Amino acid sequence: MTLKIYGIAASRALRALWAAEELGLPYEHIRYHFNGPETRERAYLALNPNGTVPVIDDEGLVVFESLAITLHLAQSRAQGGLWAQTPAGVAQIYQWTLWAATEAETLARQWFQHTSFLPPEKRLPALAEEALDRLQGRLRVLDQALQGRDYLVEDRFTVADLNVAAVLQRFEVMAREDFPAALAWHRRCLARPAAQRAFALRQAG
């Protein structure tokens, strides 16, 4: 059986696609739109009762939530190099992944919604500014963690870097201050061939 990844690349499914590309996994990309009627059909809701994307079917194991998916793929294919080699490294992978979800993504999403995603008449510039202001403190934490190192965990690219970089994919636009270590790290992550292949899938829909 082949790994199935549901969700267009212009969604959080990008994270699963990037992980699969990093790991060299064969997969079937099922391009369901996050607002499409297919996500409300019974067959899809049996996979993801939330009616959101992404969800994967990994040889019968169904997983939703994008960051859970990337963690699963990295851990279950540890030989692919995205998982940590030590208990401390594993703890740091969870730490940075949960940091991305709880500290960074809510603010990044609020900013994006009220600058680009929502129809112009529904955007509230004050909410975008508030989110961006608060996000600078989170970016400062990231920059400090990357001082003198290339990656977040075990000094090599892991799923922690993938998750944080994907959540902060618009880092260069969102950064109001000078965060040289984090900026160099972000560019390093997105320049990876697997990242380039995953982001290119956005052009395919």
Side-chain angles (χ1 to χ4, degrees), residues 45-114:
L45 292 173
L47 297 173
N48 185 353
N50 301 291
T52 57
V53 299
V55 64
I56 65 166
D57 183 340
D58 185 11
E59 299 187 3
L61 173 63
V62 176
V63 183
F64 54 77
E65 290 299 324
S66 62
L67 299 177
I69 290 168
T70 59
L71 292 173
H72 159 70
L73 293 176
Q75 186 178 28
S76 63
R77 280 83 167 181
Q79 71 278 9
L82 290 184
W83 198 245
Q85 298 176 343
T86 65
V90 171
Q92 290 171 339
I93 282 176
Y94 285 125
Q95 169 190 278
W96 283 110
T97 297
L98 292 171
W99 178 88
T102 61
E103 297 291 338
E105 184 162 28
T106 301
L107 296 174
R109 182 173 176 79
Q110 180 176 316
W111 168 81
F112 180 64
Q113 284 184 324
H114 291 283

Side-chain angles (χ1 to χ4, degrees), residues 2-192:
T2 301
L3 169 68
K4 296 180 180 179
I5 301 175
Y6 294 79
I8 60 171
S11 74
R12 290 185 177 98
L14 175 73
R15 303 164 189 179
L17 294 164
W18 184 0
E21 290 288 342
E22 288 282 353
L23 294 165
L25 302 178
Y27 63 88
E28 179 183 357
H29 184 197
I30 302 166
R31 295 175 171 86
Y32 282 7
H33 194 281
F34 48 84
N35 282 330
E38 60 271 19
T39 61
R40 295 185 290 277
E41 293 176 355
R42 182 175 300 176
Y44 186 80
L45 292 173
L47 297 173
N48 185 353
N50 301 291
T52 57
V53 299
V55 64
I56 65 166
D57 183 340
D58 185 11
E59 299 187 3
L61 173 63
V62 176
V63 183
F64 54 77
E65 290 299 324
S66 62
L67 299 177
I69 290 168
T70 59
L71 292 173
H72 159 70
L73 293 176
Q75 186 178 28
S76 63
R77 280 83 167 181
Q79 71 278 9
L82 290 184
W83 198 245
Q85 298 176 343
T86 65
V90 171
Q92 290 171 339
I93 282 176
Y94 285 125
Q95 169 190 278
W96 283 110
T97 297
L98 292 171
W99 178 88
T102 61
E103 297 291 338
E105 184 162 28
T106 301
L107 296 174
R109 182 173 176 79
Q110 180 176 316
W111 168 81
F112 180 64
Q113 284 184 324
H114 291 283
T115 55
S116 304
F117 185 77
L118 293 173
E121 66 275 10
K122 293 186 177 181
R123 298 175 192 171
L124 299 175
L127 289 182
E129 286 297 307
E130 175 193 10
L132 201 59
D133 283 344
R134 293 173 59 196
L135 187 60
Q136 302 313 299
R138 276 60 168 186
L139 300 183
R140 195 173 304 116
V141 168
L142 180 64
D143 189 68
Q144 291 169 353
L146 286 161
Q147 295 293 322
R149 59 189 305 155
D150 289 340
Y151 298 106
L152 291 168
V153 178
E154 295 182 354
D155 203 28
R156 61 185 179 84
F157 183 84
T158 69
V159 70
D161 300 289
L162 187 156
N163 286 340
V164 178
V167 166
L168 296 173
Q169 62 184 269
R170 298 174 181 84
F171 180 95
E172 295 198 37
V173 181
M174 297 186 297
R176 281 180 164 169
E177 302 175 23
D178 186 21
F179 302 115
L183 177 59
W185 161 85
H186 193 259
R187 288 175 174 171
R188 193 177 302 119
C189 292
L190 267 59
R192 294 177 65 84

